[in-house]
Coordinates of all heavy atoms in Angstrom, one line a residue:
M196 N 0.4 -56.7 -10.2 CA -0.5 -55.6 -10.6 C -0.7 -54.5 -9.6 O -0.8 -53.3 -9.9 CB -1.9 -56.3 -10.9 CG -2.8 -55.3 -11.7 SD -3.8 -56.3 -12.7 CE -4.5 -55.1 -13.6
T197 N -0.5 -54.9 -8.3 CA -0.6 -53.9 -7.3 C 0.6 -52.8 -7.4 O 0.3 -51.6 -7.1 CB -0.6 -54.6 -5.9 OG1 -1.6 -55.6 -5.9 CG2 -0.8 -53.6 -4.8
E198 N 1.7 -53.4 -7.7 CA 2.8 -52.5 -7.8 C 2.7 -51.4 -8.9 O 3.1 -50.3 -8.7 CB 4.1 -53.4 -8.1 CG 4.5 -54.3 -7.1 CD 5.7 -55.1 -7.5 OE1 6.5 -54.7 -8.4 OE2 5.8 -56.2 -6.9
K199 N 2.1 -51.8 -10.0 CA 1.9 -50.8 -11.1 C 1.0 -49.7 -10.6 O 1.2 -48.5 -10.9 CB 1.2 -51.5 -12.3 CG 1.4 -50.8 -13.6 CD 0.9 -51.7 -14.7 CE 1.3 -51.0 -16.0 NZ 0.9 -51.9 -17.2
K200 N -0.1 -49.9 -10.0 CA -1.0 -48.9 -9.5 C -0.3 -48.0 -8.5 O -0.5 -46.7 -8.6 CB -2.2 -49.5 -8.7 CG -3.2 -50.1 -9.7 CD -4.4 -50.7 -8.9 CE -5.4 -51.3 -9.9 NZ -6.5 -51.9 -9.1
E201 N 0.5 -48.4 -7.6 CA 1.2 -47.6 -6.7 C 2.2 -46.7 -7.5 O 2.4 -45.5 -7.1 CB 2.0 -48.4 -5.7 CG 1.1 -49.1 -4.7 CD 1.7 -50.0 -3.8 OE1 3.0 -49.9 -3.7 OE2 1.1 -50.8 -3.1
T202 N 2.9 -47.2 -8.5 CA 3.8 -46.4 -9.2 C 3.1 -45.2 -10.0 O 3.5 -44.1 -9.9 CB 4.6 -47.2 -10.3 OG1 5.2 -48.4 -9.6 CG2 5.6 -46.5 -11.0
V203 N 2.0 -45.5 -10.6 CA 1.3 -44.5 -11.2 C 0.7 -43.4 -10.2 O 0.8 -42.3 -10.5 CB 0.0 -45.2 -12.0 CG1 -0.9 -44.1 -12.5 CG2 0.5 -46.0 -13.1
K204 N 0.3 -43.8 -9.1 CA -0.2 -43.0 -8.1 C 0.9 -42.1 -7.6 O 0.7 -40.9 -7.4 CB -0.8 -43.8 -6.9 CG -1.5 -42.9 -5.9 CD -2.2 -43.8 -5.0 CE -3.1 -43.0 -4.0 NZ -3.7 -43.7 -3.0
K205 N 2.1 -42.6 -7.3 CA 3.2 -41.8 -6.9 C 3.6 -40.8 -8.0 O 3.9 -39.7 -7.7 CB 4.5 -42.7 -6.5 CG 4.2 -43.4 -5.2 CD 5.4 -44.3 -5.0 CE 5.2 -45.0 -3.7 NZ 6.4 -46.0 -3.4
T206 N 3.6 -41.1 -9.2 CA 4.0 -40.2 -10.2 C 3.0 -39.1 -10.4 O 3.3 -37.9 -10.5 CB 4.0 -41.1 -11.6 OG1 4.9 -42.2 -11.5 CG2 4.5 -40.1 -12.8
A207 N 1.7 -39.4 -10.3 CA 0.7 -38.4 -10.4 C 0.8 -37.4 -9.2 O 0.7 -36.2 -9.3 CB -0.7 -39.0 -10.3
T208 N 1.1 -37.9 -8.0 CA 1.3 -37.0 -6.8 C 2.5 -36.1 -7.0 O 2.5 -34.9 -6.7 CB 1.5 -37.9 -5.6 OG1 0.4 -38.8 -5.5 CG2 1.5 -37.0 -4.4
S209 N 3.7 -36.7 -7.6 CA 4.8 -35.9 -7.8 C 4.6 -34.8 -8.9 O 5.0 -33.7 -8.6 CB 6.0 -36.8 -8.3 OG 6.2 -37.8 -7.3
K210 N 3.8 -35.1 -9.9 CA 3.5 -34.1 -10.8 C 2.7 -32.9 -10.3 O 2.9 -31.8 -10.5 CB 2.8 -34.7 -12.1 CG 3.7 -35.5 -13.0 CD 2.9 -36.0 -14.1 CE 3.9 -36.9 -15.0 NZ 3.0 -37.5 -16.2
A211 N 1.7 -33.4 -9.5 CA 0.8 -32.3 -8.9 C 1.6 -31.4 -7.9 O 1.5 -30.2 -7.8 CB -0.3 -33.0 -8.1
A212 N 2.5 -32.0 -7.2 CA 3.4 -31.3 -6.3 C 4.3 -30.3 -7.1 O 4.5 -29.2 -6.7 CB 4.2 -32.2 -5.4
A213 N 4.9 -30.8 -8.2 CA 5.7 -30.0 -9.0 C 5.0 -28.8 -9.6 O 5.4 -27.7 -9.6 CB 6.4 -30.8 -10.1
E214 N 3.7 -29.0 -10.1 CA 2.8 -27.9 -10.6 C 2.5 -26.9 -9.5 O 2.5 -25.7 -9.8 CB 1.6 -28.5 -11.1 CG 1.7 -29.3 -12.5 CD 0.4 -30.0 -12.9 OE1 -0.6 -29.8 -12.3 OE2 0.5 -30.7 -13.9
K215 N 2.3 -27.3 -8.2 CA 2.1 -26.4 -7.2 C 3.2 -25.5 -6.9 O 3.1 -24.3 -6.7 CB 1.6 -27.1 -5.9 CG 0.3 -27.6 -6.0 CD -0.1 -28.2 -4.6 CE -1.6 -28.7 -4.6 NZ -1.9 -29.3 -3.3
K216 N 4.5 -26.1 -7.0 CA 5.7 -25.3 -6.7 C 5.9 -24.4 -7.9 O 6.4 -23.3 -7.7 CB 6.9 -26.3 -6.5 CG 6.8 -27.0 -5.2 CD 8.0 -27.8 -5.0 CE 8.0 -28.7 -3.7 NZ 9.1 -29.5 -3.6
A217 N 5.7 -24.7 -9.1 CA 5.9 -23.9 -10.3 C 4.9 -22.9 -10.5 O 5.1 -21.9 -11.2 CB 5.9 -24.8 -11.5
A218 N 3.7 -22.9 -9.8 CA 2.7 -21.9 -10.0 C 3.2 -20.5 -9.4 O 3.8 -20.5 -8.4 CB 1.4 -22.2 -9.2
P219 N 3.0 -19.4 -10.2 CA 3.5 -18.2 -9.7 C 2.7 -17.6 -8.6 O 1.5 -17.9 -8.3 CB 3.2 -17.2 -11.0 CG 2.1 -17.9 -11.7 CD 2.3 -19.4 -11.5
R220 N 3.4 -17.0 -7.7 CA 2.7 -16.4 -6.4 C 2.0 -15.2 -6.9 O 2.5 -14.4 -7.7 CB 3.8 -16.1 -5.4 CG 4.3 -17.4 -4.8 CD 5.3 -17.0 -3.6 NE 5.7 -18.2 -3.0 CZ 6.5 -18.1 -1.9 NH1 6.9 -17.0 -1.5 NH2 6.9 -19.2 -1.4
R221 N 0.9 -15.0 -6.3 CA 0.1 -13.7 -6.6 C 0.2 -12.8 -5.4 O 0.1 -13.3 -4.2 CB -1.4 -14.0 -6.9 CG -1.5 -14.8 -8.1 CD -2.7 -14.9 -8.7 NE -2.8 -15.5 -9.9 CZ -3.9 -16.2 -10.5 NH1 -5.0 -16.2 -9.8 NH2 -3.8 -16.7 -11.6
C222 N 0.4 -11.6 -5.7 CA 0.5 -10.5 -4.6 C -1.0 -10.2 -4.2 O -1.7 -9.9 -5.0 CB 1.3 -9.3 -5.1 SG 1.3 -8.0 -3.9
T223 N -1.2 -10.3 -2.9 CA -2.4 -9.8 -2.4 C -2.4 -8.4 -1.9 O -2.0 -8.2 -0.7 CB -2.9 -10.8 -1.3 OG1 -2.0 -10.9 -0.3 CG2 -3.2 -12.2 -1.9
A224 N -2.7 -7.5 -2.7 CA -2.6 -6.1 -2.3 C -3.9 -5.7 -1.6 O -5.0 -6.2 -1.8 CB -2.5 -5.2 -3.6
K225 N -3.7 -4.8 -0.6 CA -4.9 -4.3 0.1 C -5.7 -3.4 -0.8 O -5.2 -2.7 -1.6 CB -4.5 -3.4 1.2 CG -4.0 -4.1 2.3 CD -3.7 -3.3 3.5 CE -3.1 -3.9 4.7 NZ -2.7 -3.0 5.8
K226 N -7.0 -3.5 -0.7 CA -7.8 -2.7 -1.5 C -8.3 -1.5 -0.7 O -9.0 -1.7 0.4 CB -9.0 -3.5 -2.1 CG -10.1 -2.7 -3.0 CD -11.1 -3.5 -3.5 CE -12.0 -2.7 -4.4 NZ -13.1 -3.5 -5.0
V227 N -7.9 -0.3 -1.0 CA -8.2 0.8 -0.2 C -9.5 1.5 -0.8 O -9.5 1.8 -2.1 CB -7.1 1.8 -0.2 CG1 -7.5 3.1 0.5 CG2 -5.8 1.2 0.4
V228 N -10.5 1.7 -0.1 CA -11.7 2.3 -0.6 C -12.0 3.6 0.2 O -12.0 3.5 1.5 CB -12.9 1.4 -0.4 CG1 -14.2 2.0 -1.0 CG2 -12.7 0.1 -1.2
F229 N -12.1 4.7 -0.5 CA -12.5 5.9 0.2 C -13.1 6.9 -0.8 O -13.0 6.7 -2.0 CB -11.3 6.6 0.8 CG -10.1 6.8 -0.1 CD1 -9.9 7.9 -0.9 CD2 -9.1 5.8 -0.2 CE1 -8.9 8.0 -1.7 CE2 -8.1 5.9 -1.0 CZ -7.9 7.1 -1.8
D230 N -13.9 7.7 -0.2 CA -14.6 8.8 -1.1 C -13.6 9.9 -1.6 O -12.8 10.3 -0.8 CB -15.8 9.5 -0.4 CG -16.9 8.5 0.0 OD1 -17.1 7.5 -0.8 OD2 -17.4 8.7 1.0
I231 N -13.7 10.1 -2.8 CA -13.0 11.3 -3.4 C -13.9 12.4 -3.7 O -14.5 12.3 -4.7 CB -12.1 10.8 -4.5 CG1 -11.2 9.7 -4.2 CG2 -11.3 12.0 -5.2 CD1 -10.4 9.3 -5.4
N232 N -14.0 13.3 -2.8 CA -14.7 14.6 -3.1 C -14.0 15.7 -2.4 O -13.0 15.4 -1.6 CB -16.2 14.5 -2.6 CG -16.4 14.0 -1.1 OD1 -15.7 14.6 -0.2 ND2 -17.2 13.1 -0.8
A233 N -14.3 16.9 -2.6 CA -13.7 18.1 -2.0 C -13.5 18.1 -0.5 O -12.6 18.3 0.1 CB -14.3 19.4 -2.5
E234 N -14.7 17.6 0.1 CA -14.7 17.5 1.6 C -13.7 16.6 2.2 O -12.9 16.8 3.1 CB -16.1 17.2 2.1 CG -16.2 17.4 3.6 CD -17.6 17.1 4.1 OE1 -18.5 16.7 3.3 OE2 -17.9 17.4 5.3
S235 N -13.7 15.3 1.6 CA -12.9 14.2 2.2 C -11.4 14.4 1.9 O -10.6 14.3 2.7 CB -13.3 12.9 1.7 OG -13.1 12.8 0.3
V236 N -11.2 15.1 0.7 CA -9.7 15.4 0.4 C -9.2 16.5 1.3 O -8.1 16.5 1.7 CB -9.6 15.7 -1.1 CG1 -8.2 16.1 -1.5 CG2 -9.9 14.5 -2.0
G237 N -10.2 17.4 1.5 CA -9.8 18.5 2.4 C -9.4 18.0 3.9 O -8.5 18.5 4.5
F238 N -10.2 17.1 4.3 CA -9.9 16.5 5.6 C -8.5 15.8 5.6 O -7.8 15.9 6.6 CB -11.0 15.5 6.0 CG -12.2 16.3 6.5 CD1 -13.5 15.8 6.1 CD2 -12.1 17.2 7.6 CE1 -14.7 16.5 6.5 CE2 -13.3 17.8 8.0 CZ -14.6 17.5 7.5
K239 N -8.2 15.0 4.5 CA -7.0 14.4 4.5 C -5.8 15.4 4.4 O -4.8 15.2 5.0 CB -7.0 13.5 3.1 CG -8.0 12.4 3.2 CD -8.0 11.5 4.5 CE -9.2 10.5 4.5 NZ -9.4 10.1 5.9
A240 N -6.1 16.5 3.8 CA -5.0 17.6 3.6 C -4.8 18.1 5.1 O -3.6 18.4 5.5 CB -5.5 18.8 2.7
G241 N -5.8 18.2 5.9 CA -5.7 18.6 7.3 C -4.9 17.6 8.1 O -4.1 18.0 8.9
D242 N -5.2 16.4 7.9 CA -4.4 15.3 8.5 C -2.9 15.3 8.2 O -2.1 15.3 9.1 CB -5.1 14.0 8.2 CG -6.4 13.7 8.6 OD1 -6.8 14.4 9.6 OD2 -7.0 12.8 8.1
V243 N -2.6 15.6 6.9 CA -1.3 15.7 6.4 C -0.6 16.9 7.1 O 0.5 16.8 7.7 CB -1.2 15.7 4.9 CG1 0.2 16.1 4.5 CG2 -1.6 14.4 4.3
Y244 N -1.3 18.1 7.1 CA -0.7 19.2 7.6 C -0.5 19.2 9.1 O 0.6 19.5 9.6 CB -1.7 20.4 7.3 CG -1.0 21.8 7.6 CD1 -0.4 22.5 6.7 CD2 -1.2 22.4 8.9 CE1 0.2 23.7 6.9 CE2 -0.6 23.6 9.1 CZ 0.1 24.2 8.2 OH 0.7 25.5 8.4
Q245 N -1.4 18.5 9.8 CA -1.3 18.3 11.3 C 0.0 17.4 11.6 O 0.7 17.6 12.5 CB -2.5 17.8 11.9 CG -3.6 18.9 12.0 CD -3.2 20.0 12.8 OE1 -2.6 19.9 13.9 NE2 -3.7 21.2 12.3
A246 N 0.1 16.4 10.9 CA 1.3 15.4 10.9 C 2.6 16.2 10.8 O 3.5 15.9 11.6 CB 1.2 14.3 10.0
L247 N 2.6 17.0 9.8 CA 3.9 17.8 9.5 C 4.1 18.8 10.6 O 5.3 19.0 11.1 CB 3.8 18.4 8.1 CG 4.0 17.5 6.9 CD1 3.6 18.1 5.7 CD2 5.4 16.8 6.9
A248 N 3.1 19.4 11.0 CA 3.2 20.5 12.0 C 3.7 19.9 13.3 O 4.5 20.4 14.1 CB 1.9 21.3 12.2
T249 N 3.1 18.7 13.7 CA 3.4 18.1 14.9 C 4.8 17.6 14.9 O 5.5 17.6 15.9 CB 2.5 16.8 15.2 OG1 1.1 17.3 15.2 CG2 2.8 16.1 16.5
A250 N 5.3 17.0 13.8 CA 6.7 16.5 13.8 C 7.7 17.7 13.7 O 8.8 17.4 14.3 CB 6.8 15.7 12.4
G251 N 7.3 18.8 13.2 CA 8.3 19.9 13.1 C 9.5 19.6 12.3 O 10.5 20.3 12.5
K252 N 9.5 18.6 11.5 CA 10.6 18.4 10.5 C 10.0 17.7 9.3 O 8.9 17.5 9.1 CB 11.6 17.3 11.2 CG 11.0 16.0 11.5 CD 12.0 15.1 12.2 CE 11.3 13.7 12.5 NZ 12.2 12.7 12.9
S253 N 10.9 17.4 8.3 CA 10.5 16.9 7.0 C 10.2 15.3 7.3 O 10.9 14.7 8.1 CB 11.7 17.0 6.0 OG 11.9 18.3 5.7
L254 N 9.1 14.9 6.6 CA 8.8 13.5 6.7 C 8.6 12.9 5.3 O 8.2 13.6 4.4 CB 7.5 13.3 7.5 CG 7.4 13.8 9.0 CD1 6.1 13.7 9.5 CD2 8.4 12.9 9.8
S255 N 8.7 11.7 5.2 CA 8.4 10.9 3.9 C 6.9 10.7 3.8 O 6.2 10.8 4.9 CB 9.2 9.6 3.8 OG 8.7 8.6 4.8
V256 N 6.4 10.2 2.8 CA 5.0 9.9 2.6 C 4.7 8.9 3.5 O 3.6 8.9 4.2 CB 4.7 9.5 1.1 CG1 3.3 9.1 1.0 CG2 5.0 10.7 0.2
A257 N 5.4 7.8 3.7 CA 5.1 6.7 4.6 C 5.1 7.2 6.0 O 4.1 6.8 6.7 CB 6.2 5.6 4.4
E258 N 6.0 8.1 6.4 CA 6.0 8.6 7.8 C 4.7 9.5 8.1 O 4.2 9.4 9.1 CB 7.3 9.4 8.0 CG 8.5 8.5 8.0 CD 9.8 9.3 8.0 OE1 9.8 10.5 7.5 OE2 10.8 8.8 8.6
I259 N 4.4 10.3 7.0 CA 3.2 11.0 7.2 C 2.0 10.2 7.4 O 1.2 10.5 8.3 CB 3.0 12.1 6.0 CG1 4.2 13.1 5.9 CG2 1.6 12.8 6.1 CD1 4.3 13.9 4.6
A260 N 1.8 9.2 6.5 CA 0.7 8.3 6.6 C 0.6 7.6 8.0 O -0.5 7.6 8.5 CB 0.8 7.2 5.5
K261 N 1.8 7.2 8.5 CA 1.8 6.5 9.7 C 1.4 7.5 10.9 O 0.6 7.1 11.8 CB 3.1 5.9 10.0 CG 3.3 5.1 11.3 CD 4.7 4.5 11.4 CE 4.8 3.7 12.7 NZ 6.1 3.1 12.9
T262 N 2.0 8.6 10.8 CA 1.6 9.7 11.8 C 0.2 10.1 11.8 O -0.4 10.2 12.9 CB 2.6 10.9 11.7 OG1 3.9 10.5 11.7 CG2 2.3 12.0 12.7
A263 N -0.3 10.3 10.6 CA -1.7 10.8 10.5 C -2.7 9.7 10.6 O -4.0 9.8 10.6 CB -1.9 11.5 9.2
K264 N -2.2 8.4 10.6 CA -3.1 7.2 10.7 C -4.1 7.1 9.5 O -5.3 6.8 9.7 CB -3.8 7.1 12.0 CG -2.9 7.0 13.2 CD -3.6 7.0 14.4 CE -2.6 7.0 15.6 NZ -3.1 7.3 16.9
I265 N -3.5 7.4 8.3 CA -4.3 7.2 7.0 C -3.4 6.5 6.1 O -2.2 6.3 6.3 CB -4.7 8.7 6.5 CG1 -3.4 9.6 6.2 CG2 -5.6 9.4 7.4 CD1 -3.7 10.9 5.5
S266 N -4.0 6.0 4.9 CA -3.3 5.3 3.9 C -2.4 6.2 3.1 O -2.5 7.5 3.2 CB -4.2 4.6 3.0 OG -4.9 5.6 2.2
E267 N -1.4 5.6 2.5 CA -0.5 6.4 1.6 C -1.3 7.1 0.5 O -0.9 8.2 0.1 CB 0.7 5.5 1.1 CG 1.6 5.2 2.2 CD 2.9 4.5 1.8 OE1 3.3 4.7 0.6 OE2 3.6 3.8 2.6
E268 N -2.3 6.4 0.0 CA -3.1 7.0 -1.1 C -3.8 8.2 -0.6 O -3.8 9.2 -1.3 CB -4.1 5.9 -1.7 CG -3.5 4.8 -2.4 CD -2.8 3.7 -1.6 OE1 -3.1 3.7 -0.3 OE2 -2.3 2.7 -2.1
E269 N -4.3 8.2 0.6 CA -5.0 9.3 1.2 C -4.1 10.4 1.5 O -4.3 11.6 1.3 CB -5.8 8.9 2.4 CG -6.9 8.0 2.2 CD -7.5 7.4 3.4 OE1 -6.8 7.0 4.4 OE2 -8.7 7.3 3.5
T270 N -2.8 10.1 1.9 CA -1.7 11.0 2.1 C -1.4 11.8 0.8 O -1.2 13.0 0.8 CB -0.4 10.3 2.6 OG1 -0.8 9.6 3.9 CG2 0.6 11.3 2.9
L271 N -1.3 11.0 -0.3 CA -1.0 11.7 -1.5 C -2.0 12.6 -1.9 O -1.8 13.7 -2.6 CB -0.8 10.6 -2.6 CG 0.6 9.8 -2.4 CD1 0.6 8.6 -3.3 CD2 1.8 10.7 -2.5
L272 N -3.4 12.2 -1.8 CA -4.4 13.1 -2.1 C -4.4 14.5 -1.3 O -4.5 15.5 -1.8 CB -5.8 12.5 -1.7 CG -6.3 11.5 -2.8 CD1 -7.6 10.8 -2.3 CD2 -6.6 12.2 -4.2
G273 N -4.1 14.3 0.0 CA -3.9 15.5 0.9 C -2.8 16.3 0.5 O -2.9 17.5 0.5
M274 N -1.7 15.7 0.1 CA -0.5 16.4 -0.3 C -0.8 17.2 -1.6 O -0.3 18.4 -1.7 CB 0.7 15.4 -0.5 CG 1.3 14.9 0.7 SD 2.6 13.7 0.5 CE 3.5 14.4 -0.8
G275 N -1.5 16.7 -2.5 CA -1.9 17.3 -3.7 C -2.6 18.6 -3.4 O -2.3 19.7 -3.9
W276 N -3.6 18.6 -2.5 CA -4.3 19.7 -2.0 C -3.3 20.8 -1.5 O -3.4 22.0 -1.9 CB -5.3 19.3 -1.0 CG -6.2 20.4 -0.4 CD1 -5.7 21.5 0.3 CD2 -7.7 20.4 -0.6 NE1 -6.9 22.2 0.6 CE2 -8.0 21.5 0.1 CE3 -8.6 19.7 -1.2 CZ2 -9.4 22.0 0.2 CZ3 -9.9 20.0 -1.1 CH2 -10.4 21.2 -0.5
L277 N -2.5 20.4 -0.6 CA -1.5 21.2 0.1 C -0.5 21.8 -0.9 O -0.1 23.0 -0.7 CB -0.9 20.5 1.3 CG -1.8 20.2 2.4 CD1 -1.1 19.3 3.4 CD2 -2.4 21.4 3.1
F278 N -0.1 21.0 -1.8 CA 0.8 21.6 -2.9 C 0.2 22.7 -3.6 O 0.7 23.7 -3.9 CB 1.3 20.5 -3.8 CG 2.5 19.7 -3.4 CD1 2.5 18.3 -3.3 CD2 3.7 20.3 -3.1 CE1 3.5 17.6 -2.8 CE2 4.8 19.6 -2.7 CZ 4.7 18.3 -2.5
K279 N -1.0 22.5 -4.1 CA -1.8 23.4 -4.9 C -2.0 24.7 -4.0 O -1.8 25.9 -4.6 CB -3.1 23.0 -5.3 CG -3.8 23.9 -6.2 CD -5.1 23.2 -6.8 CE -5.8 24.1 -7.8 NZ -5.7 25.5 -7.7
E280 N -2.1 24.6 -2.8 CA -2.3 25.8 -1.9 C -1.0 26.4 -1.5 O -1.0 27.5 -0.9 CB -3.1 25.4 -0.6 CG -4.5 24.9 -0.8 CD -5.4 26.1 -1.2 OE1 -5.3 27.2 -0.6 OE2 -6.3 25.8 -2.0
G281 N 0.1 25.8 -1.8 CA 1.4 26.3 -1.5 C 1.8 26.2 0.0 O 2.7 26.9 0.4
K282 N 1.2 25.3 0.7 CA 1.4 25.0 2.1 C 2.6 24.0 2.4 O 3.1 24.1 3.5 CB 0.1 24.4 2.7 CG -1.1 25.2 2.6 CD -1.1 26.4 3.4 CE -2.4 27.2 3.3 NZ -2.4 28.4 4.0
I283 N 2.9 23.2 1.4 CA 4.0 22.3 1.6 C 5.0 22.3 0.4 O 4.7 22.9 -0.6 CB 3.6 20.8 1.9 CG1 2.8 20.3 0.7 CG2 2.8 20.7 3.1 CD1 2.4 18.8 0.7
K284 N 6.2 21.8 0.7 CA 7.2 21.7 -0.4 C 7.9 20.3 -0.3 O 7.9 19.7 0.8 CB 8.2 22.9 -0.4 CG 9.0 23.0 0.9 CD 9.8 24.3 0.8 CE 10.6 24.4 2.2 NZ 11.4 25.5 2.2
A285 N 8.5 19.9 -1.4 CA 9.2 18.7 -1.4 C 10.7 18.9 -1.7 O 11.0 19.6 -2.5 CB 8.6 17.7 -2.4
E286 N 11.5 18.2 -0.8 CA 13.0 18.2 -1.0 C 13.5 16.8 -0.9 O 13.4 16.3 0.2 CB 13.6 19.1 0.0 CG 13.1 20.6 -0.1 CD 13.6 21.4 1.1 OE1 14.3 20.8 2.0 OE2 13.4 22.5 1.0
E287 N 14.0 16.1 -2.0 CA 14.6 14.9 -1.9 C 13.7 13.8 -1.3 O 14.1 13.2 -0.3 CB 16.0 14.9 -1.3 CG 17.0 15.9 -1.9 CD 18.3 15.9 -1.3 OE1 18.6 14.9 -0.4 OE2 19.0 16.9 -1.4
N288 N 12.5 13.6 -1.8 CA 11.5 12.7 -1.2 C 11.1 13.0 0.2 O 10.5 12.0 0.8 CB 12.1 11.2 -1.4 CG 12.3 10.9 -2.8 OD1 11.6 11.4 -3.7 ND2 13.2 10.0 -3.1
M289 N 11.4 14.1 0.7 CA 10.9 14.5 2.0 C 9.9 15.7 1.8 O 10.2 16.5 1.1 CB 12.0 14.8 2.9 CG 13.0 13.6 3.2 SD 12.3 12.2 3.9 CE 12.3 12.7 5.6
I290 N 8.9 15.7 2.6 CA 7.9 16.7 2.6 C 8.0 17.5 3.8 O 8.1 17.1 5.0 CB 6.4 16.2 2.5 CG1 6.3 15.1 1.4 CG2 5.4 17.2 2.3 CD1 6.8 15.5 0.1
T291 N 7.9 18.9 3.6 CA 8.0 19.8 4.7 C 7.0 21.0 4.6 O 6.6 21.3 3.4 CB 9.5 20.4 5.0 OG1 9.5 21.1 6.1 CG2 9.8 21.2 3.8
L292 N 6.7 21.6 5.6 CA 5.8 22.8 5.5 C 6.4 24.0 4.8 O 7.6 24.1 5.0 CB 5.3 23.3 6.9 CG 4.5 22.2 7.7 CD1 4.2 22.9 9.1 CD2 3.1 22.0 7.0
A293 N 5.7 24.7 4.0 CA 6.3 25.8 3.2 C 6.5 27.0 4.2 O 5.8 27.2 5.1 CB 5.5 26.1 2.0

């Protein structure tokens, strides 16, 4: 009778292990929280402009974000402001001062 309990226990453990392996992985994305108002977006636009001016060359969105020390979402907000003002232009996924 002891053998039967051990067999059942091993089977249950194997099934549990298989279920863990089969479970889909979930992506844990960072949650970025920031205020969206004219003042904060204007500051982000200034950060983007300064990053481009300092570099003196075209940069990607990721490079601008890294240089300006802001998130990519904040970079995109600032870029939107600068695009509307005609201060920057895009060429093949690279951003440069206009």
